[in-house]
Amino acid sequence: MRFGYWTPTYGGWLRNVADEHTPATFEHIARIARAAEDGGFDVTLVPELNLNDIKGHSGPALDAWAIATATAAVTSRLEIMAALRPSYHPVALAAKQAATIQEIAQGRFTLNVVSAWWAEEARQYGISFADHDDRYALTTEYVEVLHGLWSQTPYSHEGRHFSLEGTHLEPKPVTAPLIYAGGESEAGRAAIAGFADAYVTHGGTVDELRTKIADMRARRERVGKPAFRHFGMAAFAIVRDTEEEAQAELARITDVRSGAAYESYQDFVTKSQLDVEISLREYSVSNRGLRPELIGTPQQVADRIREFQDVGVDTLLLQFSPALDELERFAERVIPLVNDAPA
């Protein structure tokens, strides 16, 4: 199992807790990154939104690629997985930036390509927001152009969404960034089976992940591509000395109330074409993080992780609150239990 964490570019992951003692500053993010490397984490996902969908529109939202670049410069082992939404990044410029960050990261930079879901954010930032299936069509062509620019000089392309002629991009990345992607609609899964190197998903139950991974493996085989490199899942972890303490913390963070933190709820559930129903209570924690139920004592959480490992999940992308303290607790008390378990 590879252990990852979400870089807290929004000041936390809880919609019901105003202050998570996780300041949205690079100084704090760098402390978390160093603690993660020391604690045995393998990867960090740097999410990209220009509005804060956790704390409300007036909350902080640091730029993902700036944070990814800086994190690469202050770490030596972590994989830096930056979110990339094609409609927010001109493709040739994104290819140039990614090649440069890959040089800074010495091969550790990867991309989580996201077809976007938040119409209100796009409106506020003057970005066109296509229909759901059209967003995946654009993403497919976008990834094709990225790979072309990273591998050919000069590069030309004439397609539905992009037109380039004789484009030079130097230096090229020594290692092309791995492409992760996630989606649950029919259009999303079909597209991802063709263009991505690895599949990632919101949090789910063991049965949901078993079904989802089997489906994506079959789709991948049908399009004649090599097997996905990784299957990753988001999750929110609560680790305590006793199950009662863990459940008390769960009750505290899911004390649902209305307000600015839920401004994005309707956009998320209506624009994403999800394959499961998401309650307002579940939405109180980001990215369906409660569904995997990584909640309990260190041994309970480790046992649950092995259940996901058995159905094919090999990368966990974890959220914690407060981010630094809980990441360190998880690294000290859970990772050794999983890594030291008999095969």
Side-chain angles (χ1 to χ4, degrees), residues 229-249:
R229 292 273 296 275
H230 300 291
F231 286 100
M233 181 185 71
F236 187 88
I238 300 174
V239 179
R240 296 292 185 271
D241 291 335
T242 68
E243 185 175 1
E244 291 75 19
E245 290 173 320
Q247 290 299 320
E249 173 66 1

Side-chain angles (χ1 to χ4, degrees), residues 42 150 208 263 302 308 319:
D42 305 285
W150 289 335
E208 287 168 354
E263 289 172 322
F308 284 103
Q319 296 175 346

